[in-house]
Amino acid sequence: MGTIRYLEIAGALRTAILSGEYAVGAQLPSESDLAARWSASRGTVRQAVATLAAEGLIGSRQGARRIVLRHERRHSFGELNSFAQWAEGLGQEVTSRFLSRVRRPATAEEAERLALAPDTEILAVLRLRLLDGEPTMVERTAYADWVAAAVEALPDDVRSVMDSLANDSAIVAHYGEHLIDALPAGSEDARLLEIRRGSPLLRQRHVSATATGRPIEWTDDRYRAGSVTFSVSNSAVATPLERRTGEG
Amino acid sequence: MGTIRYLEIAGALRTAILSGEYAVGAQLPSESDLAARWSASRGTVRQAVATLAAEGLIGSRQGARRIVLRHERRHSFGELNSFAQWAEGLGQEVTSRFLSRVRRPATAEEAERLALAPDTEILAVLRLRLLDGEPTMVERTAYADWVAAAVEALPDDVRSVMDSLANDSAIVAHYGEHLIDALPAGSEDARLLEIRRGSPLLRQRHVSATATGRPIEWTDDRYRAGSVTFSVSNSAVATPLERRTGEG
DNA sequence: AAGTGGTCTAGACCACTCG
DNA sequence: GAGTGGTCTAGACCACTTC
């Protein structure tokens, strides 16, 4: 069948953890236990627990049992690529509309981020996103020339641009890098978000690229302060500690 | 020897990528190539490339060679735990001083985050951090009761609290969760950072915990807007894509 | 000393990409 | 169809934790 063994095991463990079957701080069964219980090899079990470790749910130390670190599954940064997906997880109603879609030459930064020749024509999009009717985020996106036509063809109230591209054009975003900072609202930001000029905004910029590393879009998203919090957990797997005790 | 094979291979590949030997978009040698070249098994090679994938340097698709996604190594979120470590990477001079260290009962949120009984006495610390002499960040930390004494014993201008704890008390932080948002400066923030009240601040809150999941500290760091940008890259490994093409 | 996770090997089959 | 990465097995030895 199409079922992948280690994801099956990871899913069962995740369910057990999220349901509270294992308390925070509790020990997981040993790898050999799990291997026997699932009739799988130890390698497969290790792949399963590595998945959960990458999600920040469990942690490990050599020689000791794995322990549960958290019960909540954290919004992964993968979901940052899609405002719509993220909002759906919150159970809030999302609306959005394009305020403008114009072709113009790329700025120096846009050309750089999109790996295009300077002054290549890009599609600049301004979009307002609302959560339960409240203006929440202003999105400014530069789409690379080769996807511009596909984006222009989308209706004004499309739910998710990237989802639409994936379904219609077989363009699937795989990798991204996110830059997060704070800045004061400009006059356009203030007008659209119905706040005062200079009010704090949380900005998240990112590039989406195809599986082969070809940049698709460069986006500048600005959220009203208080409307959103980003969350990241660093597990030992993702960021191996290189700190030592007792250096001298 | 103490050398770990897969880290050795990963290190060599990382160096080759960062030095530009492989361009962005270029293909890496196949797993079997690498295995032969390093006289290692394919499993070990896979562990090596998985390390680089977690760093966001390379990407992969089944059936095709791995490709280089980026040249720069990104600040990992592990470094978020240490302002001092992060600033050192920038080559900037860091100074900081404790403005106050007082014991007081934990607030409801602090008790919750530190997994302590309500009203347990914690050590509340207010600290100003400067980068090249510029006030850059205000840090408010609540240390759990069982580390309070160790923190109180530190000198006023200690470079890094967590490093000091690691060296002196064998308390090593392993896991953390980071919450990132924006907010307007309060009056204390404004005074310390030498900005106007209501100016945008980038806030990063986190809990540090020991290897066994015991919380050590709960920190609220507020950065002047423009002084810092957080960067995260989501590799396919860390956040597997579950989006499909052509659903209908 | 026993148990457990970390590393490593040498195979195997499959799904997918690419020429 | 050949090449490549994704998954999986069944062993092995070592470093570390725990009792």
Side-chain angles (χ1 to χ4, degrees), chain A residues 78-89 94 96 98 127 129 139 141 143 147 150-151 154-155 157-174 206 208-209 216-217 219, chain B residues 241-248:
Chain A
E79 292 167 31
L80 271 187
N81 278 324
S82 174
F83 181 83
Q85 276 179 21
W86 165 73
E88 265 171 19
V94 187
S96 63
F98 288 114
R127 208 165 165 217
R129 305 275 209 152
E139 172 188 328
T141 304
Y143 289 95
V147 286
V151 176
L154 296 175
D157 62 344
V158 68
R159 203 190 60 94
S160 167
V161 171
M162 291 314 269
D163 278 0
S164 304
L165 289 182
N167 289 328
D168 301 346
S169 321
I171 295 168
V172 184
H174 273 226
H206 74 266
S208 299
I216 301 173
E217 54 157 15
T219 296
Chain B
L241 259 204
E242 286 168 11
R243 192 178 302 173
R244 290 151 303 161
T245 41
E247 61 154 353

Side-chain angles (χ1 to χ4, degrees), chain A residues 6-219:
Chain A
Y6 80 88
L7 288 179
E8 197 182 341
I9 301 174
L13 283 174
R14 189 186 297 114
T15 302
I17 291 171
L18 300 190
S19 75
E21 195 170 322
Y22 294 100
V24 169
Q27 295 186 336
L28 251 51
S30 73
E31 294 179 357
S32 20
D33 268 17
L34 289 170
R37 200 176 305 179
W38 288 86
S39 308
S41 76
R42 201 181 142 215
T44 303
V45 168
R46 283 181 63 79
Q47 216 171 342
V49 293
T51 304
L52 300 186
E55 292 170 9
L57 285 179
I58 64 177
S60 68
R61 301 140 62 207
Q62 188 173 73
R65 285 274 183 90
R66 286 192 169 74
I67 53 169
V68 174
L69 296 176
R70 262 183 278 285
H71 273 170
E72 324 85 58
R73 176 120 103 116
R74 283 296 157 196
H75 305 284
S76 79
F77 263 77
E79 292 167 31
L80 271 187
N81 278 324
S82 174
F83 181 83
Q85 276 179 21
W86 165 73
E88 265 171 19
L90 293 177
Q92 303 213 44
E93 188 207 5
V94 187
T95 46
S96 63
R97 55 175 198 272
F98 288 114
L99 299 179
S100 70
R101 278 182 279 189
V102 296
R103 295 209 188 212
R104 61 164 172 73
T107 65
E109 170 156 43
E110 287 164 353
E112 161 86 25
R113 298 282 180 183
L114 293 173
L116 298 173
D119 295 327
T120 306
E121 194 166 73
I122 52 95
L123 178 67
V125 166
L126 177 65
R127 208 165 165 217
L128 182 65
R129 305 275 209 152
L130 303 92
L131 225 51
D132 281 344
E134 282 276 306
T136 299
M137 189 259 274
V138 176
E139 172 188 328
R140 294 180 180 85
T141 304
Y143 289 95
D145 49 352
W146 56 278
V147 286
V151 176
E152 283 177 323
L154 296 175
D156 245 23
D157 62 344
V158 68
R159 203 190 60 94
S160 167
V161 171
M162 291 314 269
D163 278 0
S164 304
L165 289 182
N167 289 328
D168 301 346
S169 321
I171 295 168
V172 184
H174 273 226
Y175 306 104
E177 172 183 24
H178 305 271
L179 300 172
I180 298 165
D181 59 3
L183 80 173
S187 47
E188 189 176 53
D189 299 323
R191 182 170 48 82
L192 295 174
L193 293 174
E194 301 172 10
I195 55 178
R196 271 204 299 278
R197 219 171 134 265
S199 297
L201 297 178
L202 182 63
R203 176 166 68 168
Q204 183 235 328
R205 291 171 294 172
H206 74 266
V207 178
S208 299
T210 65
T212 52
R214 190 177 189 193
I216 301 173
E217 54 157 15
W218 164 238
T219 296

Side-chain angles (χ1 to χ4, degrees), chain B residues 4 8 35 49 57 63-64 95 98 157 162 184 186 189 203-204 223 236 240:
Chain B
I4 294 173
E8 197 182 342
V49 293
L57 285 179
T95 46
F98 289 114
D157 62 344
M162 291 315 269
D189 300 322
R203 175 166 67 170
Q204 182 235 325
Y223 295 84

Side-chain angles (χ1 to χ4, degrees), chain A residues 60-61 234-236 239 241, chain B residues 81 172-176 208-212 216:
Chain A
S60 68
R61 301 140 62 207
N234 59 324
S235 61
T239 58
L241 261 204
Chain B
N81 278 324
V172 184
H174 273 226
Y175 307 104
S208 300
T210 64
T212 52
I216 301 173

